Amino acid sequence: MRTLSLVVIATLFVTACKKEEVKAVEAAKPAVAAPAPAEVKPAPAPAGAARVVELKVTENGFEPGNVKLKKDEPVKFVVTRVTDATCATELLIAETDIKAELPLNKPVEVAWTPTKAGQVKFGCAMDMMVGGLLLVE
Ligand SMILES: [Cu+2]
């Protein structure tokens, strides 16, 4: 019985996530014009500073979905969620403790340095169902 309720709860979460995504697809129709987000213009990075990678959360998910990174190169993600039609209100990076809230239309900085080559998933708090891949080489 206990296991069953856990399964039910898990299913509810997954269902909620999928519904959000269906809504997101509907909202992606051109009739719904999202307000233009404020542009983030980071100052040119001084030598040795983190590379800035801009990410957006739109109706289609994280954009770009795949990001190429270099091992041992510090990177600063500047993440802006520009829609409410998503369940990705947080950014998680697999195999790390990184978990950043993504308030609407507010750029959030997330610093990370990959320490090994390979693919690392990132995405929403629901098992990164909305997310992408960090391709570290
Ligand atoms: Cu989700």
Side-chain angles (χ1 to χ4, degrees):
M1 205 50 198
R2 198 154 167 238
T3 319
L4 181 64
S5 11
L6 279 180
V7 169
V8 168
I9 288 164
T11 311
L12 284 176
F13 269 115
V14 170
T15 313
C17 197
K18 283 203 176 131
K19 266 190 205 146
E20 295 274 349
E21 276 161 6
V22 170
K23 254 192 267 164
V25 170
E26 282 167 6
K29 286 169 190 162
V32 189
E39 279 295 317
V40 188
K41 290 255 157 68
R51 183 158 69 94
V52 173
V53 174
E54 292 198 31
L55 285 176
K56 283 198 165 67
V57 180
T58 73
E59 288 88 344
N60 301 318
F62 283 89
E63 293 187 14
N66 291 344
V67 182
K68 280 192 183 175
L69 300 177
K70 287 203 174 75
K71 178 177 170 289
D72 296 326
E73 183 190 56
V75 62
K76 184 168 82 179
F77 299 104
V78 179
V79 194
T80 314
R81 178 168 65 90
V82 298
T83 179
D84 268 326
T86 180
C87 67
T89 55
E90 284 178 315
L91 167 68
L92 278 73
I93 299 180
E95 299 162 44
T96 74
D97 294 332
I98 291 171
K99 183 176 182 180
E101 294 275 340
L102 302 176
L104 186 64
N105 292 326
K106 223 177 176 188
V108 173
E109 295 186 359
V110 176
W112 185 52
T113 306
T115 54
K116 59 177 184 192
Q119 300 189 346
V120 180
K121 278 177 77 177
F122 72 95
C124 77
M126 266 174 266
D127 209 23
M128 305 180 193
M129 283 180 63
V130 175
L133 279 179
L134 304 173
L135 311 168
V136 184
E137 48 194 34

